[in-house]
Amino acid sequence: MHDFYASSSVTPPPADVEPGVAPANVTANPLPLVAVSTMPPEAEAPNEESNGTTSDESTNRPRQRILEFHPSKIIKNDIGDKNFSILIDEARYCSVEEQMAVTVRFLDDHGELQERFLAIKHITDCTSAGIKEALVDVLDYHGLQISRLCGQGYDGASNMRGEFNGLQKLVRDEAPYAFYVHYFAHQLQLVVVNVAQCSPAIADFFNYIPLIVTQVRSSCKRKDALLAKHQDELLDLMENGKISSGTWLDQESSITRPGDTRWGSHLRTLLRIFTMWNAVVDVLGIVVVDAREHTCQGGASGLLIKMECFEFVFIMFFSINLLSTTNYLSQALQRKNQNVVEAMHLILDVKESLQDMRDNGWESLFSQAKNFCEAHDIDVPNMDDLVGAMGQSVRTKNKVTRLHYYKVTIFNVAIDATITEMNHRFNEVSTELLDCISCLNPANNFSKFNADKLIRLAEIYAEDFT
């Protein structure tokens, strides 16, 4: 959005063509002004002798025509007295300035959803009150009343979604039915990020993952060696009949670093490390032997020791299983044709799958990690040995068995944190509201109509139902 308007050669008309003064640093939507160029030439240069108009009148006539195509007029005429919702995305621009992009959504006279980009506004005060003041300026500039808001969509920042002092609360003080809904796919990514930090052992595991990726692909030589060894391993598996060949199967792949803002990157990185395990270990071994600097040798050796231990393998398999459960929901929520009711059911299904994993998934997970370690000559410790609780020193008096450490401190804690985070992110207010609205879907002759949901919707929007 920023790149498009930054590269656009079309600029809004000067402020003197519109009654009132535009607020500072507001860039209005320039697209409707393209229609100005379609005006006939005679409208721009009227004949003064034939119509008897003065020079000032002939000059103001095209200016009045331009005013008719002003984006504020067009958006205001499109919305009229209808209710509307807003979408706001706050980000730092390349000029190191906080900017806020504002988009409005509404239903037109034909009942179809329309979306209009309003402005990109520079923000000097990033508090909820400062953002609200900037939002009001943008709405006033386009002749829209904040009292007609019926929905808000922001990111998960505390100054936006705060229940007591956030922007959504300040807006609802003036528009009580402007319910706040956080983008579901973004919420789920925040859940994934929380999983990577839910316990000391898992947080330490994800701290090592970027270091491993950097070591094995920091140079062209290492990357080529990684791909060559992985290719040799695939050919060997094919010859032994352990994997099959075919179109789109066993394609050349590499490893990328996981990122909190790249959806699904945590799972993709772990899956690549799992499938390229032998190649990664071999490349780290090459670095230990051939590196000229002792720091590189020591770093690769430490990573090799870290990888070839049961705890690393156990957390890798556990994270893959856990993130695979949420990844399907993430992919579904990002589909443009996603049905609201289906999305609600998917969220409930994921919560049930997580609870089932907690109740019945331990044995299979432990077997996966144990079998992998035995196949790759990694020692499996005795689960009855005593270790420090919560990963503490072995000299601590608070000791637990390894079984308790892996099952309770890591397995149960991570799943409980994920379920809790999902319940917090996908709260009952937003999910119930969308579920109730879905009963008005006219598809398939209102097949989703439900009288109970309609009654509940009338209770939520009490003033709109009489």
Side-chain angles (χ1 to χ4, degrees):
M1 185 180 295
H2 293 111
D3 294 338
F4 174 81
Y5 286 103
S7 62
S8 176
S9 61
V10 182
T11 57
D16 60 348
V17 304
E18 171 69 13
V21 179
N25 300 318
V26 174
T27 304
N29 189 344
L31 290 181
L33 291 179
V34 177
V36 175
S37 61
T38 64
M39 291 191 302
E42 57 270 17
E44 299 181 2
N47 189 339
E48 297 183 13
E49 296 180 358
S50 60
N51 55 21
T53 58
T54 64
S55 176
D56 291 340
E57 291 176 347
S58 61
T59 302
N60 289 333
R61 185 171 299 173
R63 179 169 295 184
Q64 292 174 355
R65 293 291 302 274
I66 293 176
L67 184 60
E68 295 176 0
F69 291 95
H70 193 277
S72 297
K73 291 278 188 179
I74 295 176
I75 294 175
K76 185 177 180 180
N77 292 336
D78 288 344
I79 298 179
D81 294 332
K82 306 180 187 71
N83 292 332
F84 60 92
S85 61
I86 55 172
L87 300 176
I88 295 180
D89 185 22
E90 179 190 357
R92 177 172 294 184
Y93 195 52
C94 58
S95 59
V96 197
E97 295 179 347
E98 287 290 339
Q99 304 216 0
M100 177 181 72
V102 184
T103 303
V104 62
R105 283 183 171 183
F106 60 94
L107 292 177
D108 61 15
D109 296 334
H110 303 287
E112 296 182 358
L113 180 64
Q114 301 293 336
E115 184 173 295
R116 298 288 185 269
F117 173 71
L118 294 186
I120 296 178
K121 182 172 176 61
H122 172 56
I123 302 176
T124 57
D125 182 4
C126 293
T127 63
S128 55
I131 298 175
K132 193 228 175 179
E133 181 180 355
L135 172 63
V136 172
D137 288 344
V138 173
L139 294 179
D140 289 344
Y141 175 64
H142 290 84
L144 303 177
Q145 300 178 6
I146 193 173
S147 60
R148 291 197 173 276
L149 271 176
C150 63
Q152 313 173 64
Y154 317 131
D155 59 16
S158 59
N159 61 340
M160 307 293 278
R161 67 179 180 90
E163 297 181 3
F164 301 102
N165 296 310
L167 174 62
Q168 65 99 5
K169 177 61 171 61
L170 298 181
V171 171
R172 288 196 63 184
D173 288 341
E174 299 188 34
Y177 296 119
F179 293 102
Y180 164 68
V181 177
H182 188 180
Y183 182 35
F184 279 6
H186 185 217
Q187 292 185 72
L188 191 61
Q189 176 63 17
L190 296 178
V191 173
V192 172
V193 173
N194 182 72
V195 171
Q197 305 170 354
C198 60
S199 75
I202 296 180
D204 182 63
F205 169 82
F206 278 102
N207 287 337
Y208 275 97
I209 294 299
L211 300 178
I212 294 172
V213 174
T214 301
Q215 278 286 359
V216 299
R217 62 189 300 271
S218 60
S219 67
C220 297
K221 181 180 179 180
R222 295 181 190 179
K223 184 177 180 180
D224 292 341
L226 178 70
L227 297 178
K229 289 184 175 295
H230 182 53
Q231 184 179 12
D232 293 341
E233 183 181 1
L234 291 177
L235 292 175
D236 183 62
L237 292 174
M238 289 180 185
E239 292 176 357
N240 296 330
K242 294 182 179 180
I243 61 175
S244 59
S245 60
T247 305
W248 302 111
L249 295 178
D250 308 312
Q251 299 294 309
E252 181 180 287
S253 59
S254 185
I255 304 177
T256 57
R257 293 166 59 95
D260 291 349
T261 58
R262 295 196 295 272
W263 298 351
S265 61
H266 291 77
L267 178 61
R268 285 193 298 269
T269 301
L270 296 183
L271 288 174
R272 295 286 174 82
I273 292 177
F274 168 70
T275 57
M276 304 175 69
W277 179 273
N278 291 330
V280 171
V281 171
D282 290 343
V283 171
L284 289 177
I286 293 174
V287 176
V288 173
V289 175
D290 296 343
R292 298 180 180 180
E293 298 180 0
H294 294 303
T295 54
C296 294
Q297 290 179 330
S301 177
L303 295 175
L304 200 57
I305 295 173
K306 183 68 177 179
M307 286 185 64
E308 294 183 319
C309 71
F310 177 80
E311 180 173 324
F312 186 93
V313 174
F314 173 81
I315 296 178
M316 181 182 68
F317 274 93
F318 173 55
S319 300
I320 289 175
N321 291 337
L322 187 62
L323 296 179
S324 296
T325 304
T326 59
N327 186 67
Y328 175 74
L329 176 60
S330 177
Q331 297 295 327
L333 293 177
Q334 294 178 55
R335 292 204 302 262
K336 293 183 178 180
N337 60 344
Q338 178 62 58
N339 184 276
V340 174
V341 178
E342 183 181 351
M344 299 297 101
H345 291 165
L346 287 174
I347 294 173
L348 296 177
D349 290 343
V350 169
K351 292 180 181 179
E352 293 177 358
S353 299
L354 292 174
Q355 187 62 46
D356 181 70
M357 180 187 297
R358 189 188 191 282
D359 298 336
N360 307 308
W362 164 256
E363 294 296 336
S364 62
L365 174 64
F366 182 78
S367 298
Q368 286 178 336
K370 182 179 179 180
N371 295 336
F372 183 88
C373 289
E374 293 175 349
H376 293 81
D377 299 325
I378 299 175
D379 293 334
V380 179
N382 187 353
M383 292 294 110
D384 294 329
D385 291 344
L386 295 178
V387 295
M390 298 293 292
Q392 298 176 6
S393 171
V394 294
R395 295 180 297 175
T396 183
K397 296 181 180 180
N398 186 17
K399 294 184 177 181
V400 295
T401 63
R402 289 187 184 275
L403 178 62
H404 182 277
Y405 172 72
Y406 287 114
K407 185 176 182 180
V408 177
T409 307
I410 298 178
F411 182 77
N412 289 347
V413 167
I415 295 180
D416 290 343
T418 305
I419 295 175
T420 301
E421 190 70 11
M422 288 197 67
N423 291 332
H424 172 66
R425 297 289 179 181
F426 301 97
N427 56 72
E428 295 182 0
V429 174
S430 59
T431 55
E432 182 187 24
L433 176 62
L434 294 177
D435 191 27
C436 291
I437 291 177
S438 66
C439 74
L440 299 177
N441 186 359
N444 298 324
N445 296 323
F446 290 92
S447 60
K448 301 296 183 180
F449 179 79
N450 186 298
D452 294 334
K453 293 181 180 180
L454 183 59
I455 293 174
R456 177 56 185 153
L457 188 64
E459 294 175 353
I460 297 176
Y461 290 96
E463 293 186 2
D464 293 333
F465 289 84
T466 56

